[in-house]
Amino acid sequence: MKEEGLTLKQDMEACSSVEDPFNTDYRMMRTLGHGHFSEVKLAFHVPTVTCVAVKLLRNKKKYNSIFNSEISVMKSMNHPNIIKLFHVIETEEITYLVMEHASEGELLRRILERGSLPECEAERIFTQVVHAVNYCHNNQVVHRDIKATNILMDCRGNAKLIDFSLAVKVTPGQKLRGFCGTLPYCAPELFARGEYDAYPIDMWCLGILLFLMVAGHFPFQAKSVAGMRNEVTSGNFTIPKHVSIDIFNVILELLIINPGRRPTIKDIMRRPVIRASEARSPPTSTPSLPGTPSPSIVGTMRVMGYKPEVIIESLRDQKYDEVMATYLILQHQSPAGDCGHNQES
């Protein structure tokens, strides 16, 4: 904790004066990563003394529909294993998405550092991701880019599904078109270039993810699209001998070539590996939606200078402004949240 406090202090001292704060409530600290359409930075939320992640979307007309879809989906998400959106700030050039900061970074880094994950850890993380995907599918949202770099770990070792830039809301029976996702995770039906059912795409990605966690490498490793198409559609892969039978069976089920025969997320949640993991570590409860404000949080915000009626209005109208952001961050600081705040204490 002392090391974390020192890091936070150093980051605060290193806040660059070259880049003006995008909002007086925040201080930019350092870059955490880059995406195809975006950049993610670590920032400091001054009113609550909390570290947050800020995703910068460079406003370009050709990406507007993607950005609007991502924002809409993220506003609808409320699950302990899905990264939480706090604040949306739109300027002429940039849209800023302020989110919770999962301080332990990408799952991929953890896998690479260890070669592969112990089965008990892989089962726990996979179960949390399955719960996140189940929540998405229950709300007719398909992620379409589930991968180890899109799963972050908080300081308690809990998984957080991130990056909904390719996510879509799918009505029953709706088919999609278009190649999307990340090559090592692409399902065979994507290579056919025709219409496809979206939900089995996520299930295939889960199979690749589970394989990667326990094997330390991808089941299909071609570098080109043509090579990957050949490997994936042939369905030839080898699961390491040390993998337990329960995980072995789940991987085989998820990596079925025919998407119509692939299990649904509900099917996977009934498998012994998920049930056993849930028994060892019960799922975290989902925080309540901010429709009925917490008196204690409102009281804290009142001391900070916020008017109760303004807080209630912001939450009721789901404004995702600075008032709602402060409320959500304080709510997140409850024991169920990440411990990446108040690090100097």
Side-chain angles (χ1 to χ4, degrees), residues 274-290:
I274 302 298
R275 292 287 178 86
S277 181
E278 289 173 342
R280 290 192 296 269
S281 179
T284 306
S285 60
T286 300
S288 59
L289 288 169

Side-chain angles (χ1 to χ4, degrees), residues 159-279:
K160 303 280 183 173
L161 182 62
I162 68 166
D163 194 353
F164 286 79
S165 57
L166 294 180
V168 288
K169 289 200 172 187
V170 182
T171 58
Q174 180 184 355
K175 301 290 184 181
L176 302 183
R177 295 185 68 93
F179 192 87
C180 67
T182 303
L183 192 57
Y185 294 85
C186 283
E189 57 267 31
L190 290 174
F191 295 104
R193 305 287 183 172
E195 290 187 336
Y196 57 84
D197 184 2
Y199 293 97
I201 298 292
D202 278 358
M203 305 313 296
W204 178 274
C205 290
L206 287 174
I208 300 292
L209 177 68
L210 182 57
F211 184 103
L212 176 63
M213 284 196 285
V214 297
H217 60 83
F218 290 108
F220 309 106
Q221 302 183 51
K223 302 300 181 184
S224 67
V225 173
M228 187 62 73
R229 182 197 303 117
N230 292 335
E231 286 192 18
V232 167
T233 54
S234 69
N236 291 327
F237 61 92
T238 303
I239 301 175
K241 293 181 179 179
H242 71 265
V243 175
S244 67
I245 188 63
D246 285 343
I247 292 181
F248 182 97
N249 287 337
V250 170
I251 291 173
L252 283 185
E253 279 191 284
L254 290 170
L255 298 185
I256 289 175
I257 301 297
N258 183 343
R261 295 180 53 210
R262 230 170 276 154
T264 66
I265 195 67
K266 294 294 186 190
D267 294 331
I268 291 301
M269 289 188 71
R270 291 192 288 264
R271 297 300 178 259
V273 65
I274 302 298
R275 292 287 178 86
S277 181
E278 289 173 342

Side-chain angles (χ1 to χ4, degrees), residues 42-60:
L42 179 67
F44 185 74
H45 185 244
V46 177
T48 59
V49 196
T50 304
C51 285
V52 292
V54 181
K55 187 172 185 177
L56 287 69
L57 304 175
R58 307 287 174 183
N59 292 336
K60 295 182 180 179

Side-chain angles (χ1 to χ4, degrees), residues 18-33:
V18 176
E19 183 173 8
D20 293 331
F22 62 95
N23 182 283
T24 54
D25 281 357
Y26 302 94
R27 296 291 181 269
M28 288 293 200
M29 287 154 65
R30 56 187 167 88
T31 299
L32 295 173

Side-chain angles (χ1 to χ4, degrees), residues 95-157:
T95 296
Y96 301 87
L97 306 184
V98 180
M99 302 171 286
E100 68 173 290
H101 171 52
S103 56
E104 292 302 303
E106 295 176 354
L107 173 60
L108 180 61
R109 185 181 69 179
R110 180 176 293 214
I111 296 169
L112 293 177
E113 287 175 351
R114 303 182 186 185
S116 62
L117 300 184
E119 283 204 1
C120 59
E121 183 177 7
E123 289 173 2
R124 183 182 60 80
I125 293 172
F126 183 70
T127 297
Q128 291 183 343
V129 176
V130 164
H131 277 275
V133 174
N134 180 60
Y135 176 86
C136 291
H137 287 194
N138 281 344
N139 288 278
Q140 299 184 330
V141 171
V142 183
H143 189 280
R144 297 201 300 173
D145 200 20
I146 299 167
K147 56 184 178 180
T149 50
N150 279 345
I151 297 164
L152 302 182
M153 308 303 299
D154 71 11
C155 66
R156 294 180 175 83

